[in-house]
Amino acid sequence: MLRVQLPDTPGSLGFVATAMGTVDADISAVEIVEKGPGYAIDDFILTLPPSTLPDTLVSTCDMLDGVKVLWLSRYPENWGIESDIATLNRMAEDPAHGAEILTEATPVVFHCQWAALFSPDRSVLTSTALAPEFTPEAVDRLNPLDATHSTDLDEGWMAGWGDTVVAVAPLSGGRSLVLGRQGGPEFLASELNRLQHLAALAN
């Protein structure tokens, strides 16, 4: 997955996609993550052939005027993009398990590695496959659990874990949802707003 900042002008997206094609990148999905004054931030889900190094892809994009690569990371095979609306529809179909459905969906929706749902007593109710086995000390590093925010955790925040960026959102009943990205990028304000909105609707 490649996160790119590009000019918010007609044709910019096509220009970037064409450049990616010159290094044989196969784009399977594109999502607009955020828009600001004169710029947009897009996530590209793509496949590279063995002959193309990730550094080559980054260099190709960075050479374009007004384009900056913000993040490149491996993305789980067969993961695509699930919209907020699709997640909300799944939650509405089974409202009694809305929080669990949201926890399961957030790694795909927010392009992160893991998610965990915490109870009011700060124990883990459910988590995705790649989530840490939280120690009480590690949970303390996530504070506050009752307010939507993002936190950078330095390498070693828990044994065996490197730099991690987490986003936290409170849910009903004193529960909390935590999302994690190994190595970044930071959660944008627009992503935190989306997360807060979804969390508010989870039962």
Side-chain angles (χ1 to χ4, degrees):
M1 192 185 84
L2 195 70
R3 175 164 290 187
V4 178
Q5 180 175 313
L6 62 156
D8 188 18
T9 56
S12 289
L13 179 58
F15 190 49
V16 173
T18 298
M20 292 180 180
T22 65
V23 295
D24 297 323
D26 182 15
I27 300 171
S28 59
V30 181
E31 182 178 48
I32 299 172
V33 181
E34 185 169 279
K35 284 195 173 188
Y39 74 88
I41 295 177
D42 294 353
D43 282 349
F44 292 82
I45 309 298
L46 47 83
T47 302
L48 290 178
S51 58
T52 300
L53 296 175
D55 287 349
T56 302
L57 175 65
V58 173
S59 302
T60 299
C61 294
D62 279 340
M63 287 191 298
L64 303 175
D65 288 341
V67 175
K68 180 180 180 182
V69 174
L70 302 179
W71 186 42
L72 172 68
S73 72
R74 295 188 181 276
Y75 200 60
E77 189 176 3
N78 298 324
W79 275 21
I81 287 178
E82 179 170 348
S83 70
D84 298 20
I85 293 176
T87 302
L88 286 170
N89 287 341
R90 290 173 56 202
M91 291 162 58
E93 290 171 359
D94 186 7
H97 299 97
E100 291 80 5
I101 291 169
L102 179 58
T103 303
E104 175 190 340
T106 45
V108 179
V109 174
F110 291 95
H111 308 161
C112 56
Q113 281 76 32
W114 55 264
L117 178 67
F118 286 84
S119 69
D121 67 4
R122 302 166 72 85
S123 61
V124 176
L125 292 170
T126 187
S127 62
T128 57
L130 299 179
E133 295 288 338
F134 285 95
T135 63
E137 294 77 15
V139 176
D140 287 341
R141 298 289 301 275
L142 307 175
N143 288 329
L145 289 177
D146 59 355
T148 302
H149 69 99
S150 179
T151 299
D152 295 336
L153 302 175
D154 297 332
E155 183 175 0
W157 65 278
M158 196 166 67
W161 286 81
D163 294 342
T164 305
V165 182
V166 299
V168 178
L171 279 72
S172 62
R175 297 167 300 171
S176 305
L177 179 61
V178 179
L179 282 58
R181 286 176 176 160
Q182 271 76 274
E186 66 180 20
F187 285 90
L188 302 174
S190 59
E191 293 179 296
L192 291 177
N193 288 337
R194 289 167 49 210
L195 177 60
Q196 181 173 305
H197 175 69
L198 289 170
L201 297 174
N203 292 323

